[in-house]
Amino acid sequence: KNQVEQSPQSLIILEGKNCTLQCNYTVSPFSNLRWYKQDTGRGPVSLTIMTFSENTKSNGRYTATLDADTKQSSLHITASQLSDSASYICVVSDRGSTLGRLYFGRGTQLTVWP
Amino acid sequence: EADIYQTPRYLVIGTGKKITLECSQTMGHDKMYWYQQDPGMELHLIHYSYGVNSTEKGDLSSESTVSRIRTEHFPLTLESARPSHTSQYLCASSGIGGEKLFFGSGTQLSVL
């Protein structure tokens, strides 16, 4: 069964600190892996998209890594800000159908305290 | 960045009412989607469309229906709302390649 598992489920850090969120997947075949940020009560916003051949991608203070061999990804947030408080969702796309089916993780709820 | 709009943002209705959730995008995207999301849970695809007059059911069984008469408009209708329909409904669209999804702000539906 294709799955996307994220850890931790929730995380609290102090403003200015770094953190790393994890995503493990069993989706096969694999097309790409995406990280989204979802503020409370809002729709997700894309942070990064990585294909099989990419092992790192940055978007400002957000850096995503991908190890396609071990089927693991991480999202590293540097110098956290209060506005980083949100749910971070890992999404994996397969290439086994014309739909390019997406598999969503349940997200990591990050809270940044002042 | 996202030019995709959902209305209403919040809706509280009684059981048995018919409702339509609106979704419009101004990016000219062919592909549009409806997702359902409960607190702390993953998004579930309930409907999608690859273009005008094309609609398909998603992975999660839903009693809702959709239509795609115009490229920019993808409304979702519940003929008879029930408390089990209480959830957040997210509309999304994607362009050529479908790699990046653009989401609306969602409609939080509560059925009493």
Side-chain angles (χ1 to χ4, degrees):
Chain A
K1 178 181 178 182
N2 287 322
Q3 285 187 319
V4 177
E5 301 288 342
Q6 293 187 243
S7 62
Q9 183 176 353
S10 62
L11 180 63
I12 299 174
I13 61 173
L14 294 177
E15 186 178 14
K17 298 296 185 183
N18 303 335
C19 67
T20 300
L21 314 180
Q22 300 291 342
C23 174
N24 296 335
Y25 62 93
T26 60
V27 176
S28 182
F30 172 86
S31 176
N32 60 67
L33 185 145
R34 316 159 188 213
W35 283 94
Y36 284 85
K37 177 187 179 187
Q38 185 177 23
D39 292 318
T40 301
R42 312 291 291 187
V45 175
S46 177
L47 293 176
T48 62
I49 299 174
M50 289 182 293
T51 60
F52 183 88
S53 60
E54 297 174 297
N55 56 22
T56 187
K57 183 163 282 189
S58 293
N59 178 359
R61 294 179 297 103
Y62 301 101
T63 299
T65 64
L66 172 65
D67 186 334
D69 292 330
T70 61
K71 297 188 177 182
Q72 295 179 324
S73 177
S74 66
L75 180 68
H76 186 75
I77 304 175
T78 303
S80 61
Q81 301 176 359
L82 298 180
S83 59
D84 292 332
S85 294
S87 178
Y88 290 83
I89 302 172
C90 177
V91 185
V92 180
S93 175
D94 70 16
R95 56 171 187 245
S97 69
T98 56
L99 177 60
R101 183 174 175 173
L102 299 180
Y103 297 85
F104 288 81
R106 294 186 176 185
T108 291
Q109 183 63 50
L110 174 66
T111 303
V112 181
W113 282 3
Chain B
E1 178 185 80
D3 295 308
I4 180 165
Y5 308 99
Q6 290 186 243
T7 58
R9 284 295 312 280
Y10 304 94
L11 181 61
V12 181
I13 61 170
T15 297
K17 299 293 185 182
K18 177 181 178 179
I19 61 166
T20 296
L21 308 184
E22 300 289 347
C23 176
S24 295
Q25 51 96 5
T26 59
M27 295 173 282
H29 288 167
D30 286 327
K31 299 175 184 175
M32 296 190 74
Y33 315 82
W34 276 103
Y35 289 91
Q36 186 173 339
Q37 184 183 31
D38 293 318
M41 301 297 287
E42 64 267 44
L43 277 71
H44 290 286
L45 180 67
I46 51 176
H47 296 283
Y48 63 96
S49 168
Y50 277 178
V52 172
N53 294 325
S54 158
T55 62
E56 299 288 344
K57 289 187 179 294
D59 306 320
L60 184 66
S61 175
S62 175
E63 295 168 343
S64 58
T65 59
V66 292
S67 63
R68 189 87 182 276
I69 299 174
R70 304 196 315 267
T71 297
E72 63 271 21
H73 195 214
F74 192 40
L76 180 146
T77 298
L78 274 169
E79 290 292 333
S80 181
R82 295 188 285 125
S84 61
H85 295 137
T86 294
S87 188
Q88 182 178 39
Y89 293 84
L90 290 163
C91 180
S93 71
S94 63
I96 296 173
E99 298 301 323
K100 187 173 182 178
L101 283 178
F102 294 88
F103 284 88
S105 294
T107 293
Q108 180 60 53
L109 174 65
S110 297
V111 183
L112 305 178

